[in-house]
Amino acid sequence: MPGVQPVTSLTERRKAQTQLEISRRAAELFSARGASSVTAEQIAAAAGIGLRTFYRYFRTKEDSVAPLLAGGVTGWIAHLGDPAAPADETVGQALERATRQALTPSEYPTEEMLEWTRGLLRTVHDEPDLRAVWLRVQHDSEEALVEALTPLMGPDADPLTVRLVAAAANAAMRIAVETWAASDAPVTGPEGPAELAVGCMRRLVDQANARNLEND
């Protein structure tokens, strides 16, 4: 999965930091001007690197925002598998907890990073190549979510059910973040992305339960 990954060596940490810095600068430029009006040279200059170095990390200018877009996803998955989580936590509770942790401003993500993501997502729909990156991040997120949910749902869980839960949760997160990004809502509070995403997940569960009652 693209984005911020667990790293062990000093070289890997420096590489991850450089990738994220490039991603932040690209997000700032794309948000202000639109991706079509920004060049790879401009992103490299804003990040304080040469163009050759830029292309050592990213194939295209649009690819350079993948670490920022995927960073929240990576955090979401990591929080979901937190060994310090309550032993009796349900899958739904785990998803809500991890969602709040991933979308509430902290050391990571910071409020500034969430605002960068907001600006970036506002340009996604008008930039086909940028949207392709966002959709790829979402695909990778769903695949990673399947792996994270499998142990939480137990060894007897039907693989198809696990995939359906992962797809539904991932869609709820995506819709919530896109809805928040399109608004002027604050980063925190009941209208922030964390509570909006939790609300989307609860609505999904409520709709499923209502459908089950109708079929009984």
Side-chain angles (χ1 to χ4, degrees), residues 101-198:
Q101 290 174 307
L103 293 176
T104 299
S106 60
E107 183 177 348
Y108 190 94
T110 64
E111 184 170 341
E112 187 177 30
M113 290 177 68
L114 287 170
E115 287 291 1
W116 284 336
T117 301
R118 187 209 297 262
L120 190 56
L121 289 179
R122 286 180 173 180
T123 71
V124 161
H125 294 286
D126 299 324
E127 303 281 356
D129 290 338
L130 201 56
R131 183 161 184 79
V133 174
W134 176 232
L135 293 176
R136 188 174 73 240
V137 167
Q138 292 302 308
H139 173 270
D140 292 342
S141 170
E142 186 176 317
E143 293 297 312
L145 196 54
V146 169
E147 293 184 19
L149 286 172
T150 297
L152 293 179
M153 296 181 68
D156 297 327
D158 174 34
L160 180 58
T161 300
V162 176
R163 292 200 67 85
L164 286 170
V165 172
N170 195 61
M173 173 72 95
R174 176 183 59 79
I175 291 170
V177 172
E178 288 180 345
T179 300
W180 170 77
S183 74
D184 294 321
V187 176
T188 58
E191 296 181 343
E195 293 307 317
L196 186 59
V198 167

Side-chain angles (χ1 to χ4, degrees), residues 41-102:
E41 289 90 343
Q42 290 170 329
I43 297 172
I49 60 173
L51 185 60
R52 182 175 298 181
T53 301
F54 175 89
Y55 281 119
R56 193 156 57 232
Y57 287 105
F58 300 106
R59 186 173 57 86
T60 67
K61 64 180 183 181
E62 290 81 11
D63 284 338
S64 66
V65 299
L68 182 61
L69 290 175
V73 172
T74 305
W76 189 32
I77 302 301
H79 290 308
L80 195 58
D82 186 355
D88 59 348
E89 190 176 51
T90 66
V91 172
Q93 290 170 339
L95 283 168
E96 289 189 16
R97 172 184 53 76
T99 296
R100 284 196 174 95
Q101 290 174 307

